[in-house]
Amino acid sequence: QICLSLVKLLFYLAHSPLGSIVLLDFQPRQFVMVDGNLKVTDMDDASTEELSCKEDKDCTLDFPTKSFPLKCSVVGKCEGINEKKNLFNAYRYFFTYLLPHSAPPALRPLLSDILNATGDLRYGINETLRAFEKVLHLYKSGLYLQKRPLLLKDYISLKGFRTLEGEDYKCWPSYSHLGCLLSIHSAEEAAAICNSQLQCQSFVVTQRRTWTGRPLASFQSRWTDLIPDANAVVYIKRSASSGERL
């Protein structure tokens, strides 16, 4: 969410009515999340000036660990230097820390491609935004899910109940520090996640949603202490419930 919001912001800056805008003091502390969108808190160090040049060798974009040769345009300006400077800063301050983590395994190669392409400045902001929107579409639609055996049949479902909330085993990347709370596309995906975790004996799906509209599921090592909840469904492994009375 943070990276996509940042890319949308940089897309606007690259195509603003004032021209391509560069953020000269590009640091994480200069941004804040407002209602799920990333905002710049300080525009004092923004500029529409692009580096003047006479030939291509005047257009080297330097960073502490990398340098990129750019072209000198016919009007004597380094082509796309503001856009590329913003994008590489997004890569080194945000993408490298956030993109490799927390995505479903099937989507990680796509995010790795974005990371590598922006790190080498092979993508401009237009291509980067298209790549992010493709990943978001796959994520929201569930098209990233690989064909696998149907596992939900191995669970007993109890509509109108949830388990008593409390500290349980933890997982990554959980939305809760008390236990294992993950976003899912469907109960079938939740069953596959539960089967992949040794501690998991049940999971609860409620009407809580993430910013993409995906439901949240709580994965638990127990299934006792059921309490009524008209908006929830408890799924219990048949193997865990055998010999017990529901």
Side-chain angles (χ1 to χ4, degrees):
Q1 181 181 14
I2 294 172
C3 292
L4 175 62
S5 186
L6 176 59
V7 168
K8 288 180 177 179
L9 172 62
L10 297 188
F11 179 85
Y12 173 79
L13 294 179
H15 301 285
S16 85
L18 300 175
S20 182
I21 299 174
V22 63
L23 301 176
L24 299 175
D25 187 19
F26 197 115
Q27 300 283 340
R29 65 174 179 269
Q30 299 283 29
F31 300 89
V32 64
M33 290 293 285
V34 180
D35 297 328
N37 295 305
L38 207 66
K39 306 284 186 181
V40 183
T41 60
D42 185 0
M43 293 293 289
D44 289 345
D45 294 311
S47 173
T48 57
E49 293 295 321
E50 292 196 305
L51 187 64
S52 298
C53 58
K54 292 183 178 180
E55 49 189 334
D56 288 351
K57 70 177 183 180
D58 299 327
C59 292
T60 300
L61 183 57
D62 289 316
F63 291 96
T65 58
K66 279 189 175 183
S67 295
F68 300 95
L70 303 180
K71 297 290 186 181
C72 182
S73 71
V74 293
V75 296
K77 297 290 183 180
C78 296
E79 288 185 357
I81 191 167
N82 287 353
E83 172 188 328
K84 293 180 184 297
K85 188 171 184 178
N86 283 341
L87 189 55
F88 189 79
N89 277 327
Y91 158 80
R92 66 180 182 141
Y93 287 120
F94 287 88
F95 298 172
T96 53
Y97 297 105
L98 299 177
L99 285 189
H101 311 291
S102 76
L107 292 179
R108 288 175 192 168
L110 296 178
L111 294 177
S112 180
D113 288 344
I114 294 174
L115 191 65
N116 293 331
T118 53
D120 294 334
L121 286 185
R122 286 184 285 110
Y123 280 1
I125 192 61
N126 295 356
E127 296 87 351
T128 303
L129 180 57
R130 283 197 296 269
F132 267 101
E133 288 179 335
K134 176 184 177 181
V135 174
L136 179 64
H137 172 67
L138 294 173
Y139 185 61
K140 292 174 69 173
S141 65
L143 292 173
Y144 68 91
L145 293 169
Q146 300 169 343
K147 291 185 178 180
R148 62 181 75 186
L150 298 179
L151 302 172
L152 200 58
K153 66 182 186 316
D154 297 328
Y155 290 77
I156 297 169
S157 64
L158 296 174
K159 294 181 179 180
F161 290 93
R162 62 177 172 83
T163 54
L164 190 64
E165 292 184 2
E167 190 166 351
D168 206 323
Y169 77 90
K170 297 172 177 61
C171 67
W172 178 261
S174 177
Y175 283 81
S176 170
H177 67 281
L178 294 176
C180 184
L181 184 67
L182 303 173
S183 76
I184 57 168
H185 174 68
S186 63
E188 186 63 52
E189 183 184 16
I193 293 172
C194 189
N195 276 25
S196 70
Q197 298 174 347
L198 293 177
Q199 306 98 314
C200 187
Q201 296 298 314
S202 68
F203 61 90
V204 182
V205 180
T206 69
Q207 290 188 344
R208 289 183 292 174
R209 296 289 187 270
T210 68
W211 67 280
T212 60
R214 286 163 55 100
L216 288 171
S218 176
F219 298 85
Q220 299 169 342
S221 61
R222 65 187 190 283
W223 58 268
T224 54
D225 301 325
L226 298 180
I227 57 176
D229 186 335
N231 299 316
V233 183
V234 179
Y235 293 87
I236 304 167
K237 280 184 178 179
R238 293 183 183 276
S239 58
S241 64
S242 61
E244 301 284 348
R245 295 182 62 186
L246 294 178

